[in-house]
Amino acid sequence: MKSRLKKKLIILSFTQIAIIIISYFYQHEISLLNYINISFLFTAGLLLFSLLLYTIHSGFYDAISRSFNLFFSKGGEKRNFEDIPRLSEMITVNEKPLLFHGLMNGLFMIIALLVYYF
């Protein structure tokens, strides 16, 4: 339990350091507004990717991916639609850590936004 929390905190600190480094290289200075802008991009990317993985795992794209696989399969052999693996079975990446890090980076961004406006 403690090792998972420690791992999450290490990854979260690396993302925060990456945001500060990118902010410095992007504008050649470290400011709160640059941190907020870069942090928004990180947060949006992590949350959108976790939502994409969630919809893939829910089976939303299974019929589409199987249809494309059946249509573009090469060779003279006849394949059944049921023999083609589902996309939700092939993609095994867990979306929960991405969602957690996206929400935590978003929380830090909102705190920085409140500090900036008040």
Side-chain angles (χ1 to χ4, degrees), residues 15-72:
T15 57
Q16 293 299 309
I17 291 170
I19 289 170
I20 292 170
I21 290 171
I22 291 172
S23 173
Y24 179 74
F25 284 126
Y26 184 66
Q27 293 291 330
H28 301 294
E29 67 178 354
I30 298 174
S31 69
L32 192 58
L33 187 60
N34 290 336
Y35 171 81
I36 293 168
N37 291 335
I38 303 297
S39 179
F40 175 78
L41 295 175
F42 267 69
T43 301
L46 288 169
L47 290 178
L48 287 175
F49 193 62
S50 69
L51 289 174
L52 175 67
L53 287 174
Y54 178 75
T55 56
I56 288 172
H57 289 160
S58 70
F60 185 76
Y61 299 111
D62 284 347
I64 296 168
S65 67
R66 291 168 84 187
S67 298
F68 275 119
N69 193 336
L70 185 65
F71 181 74
F72 288 114

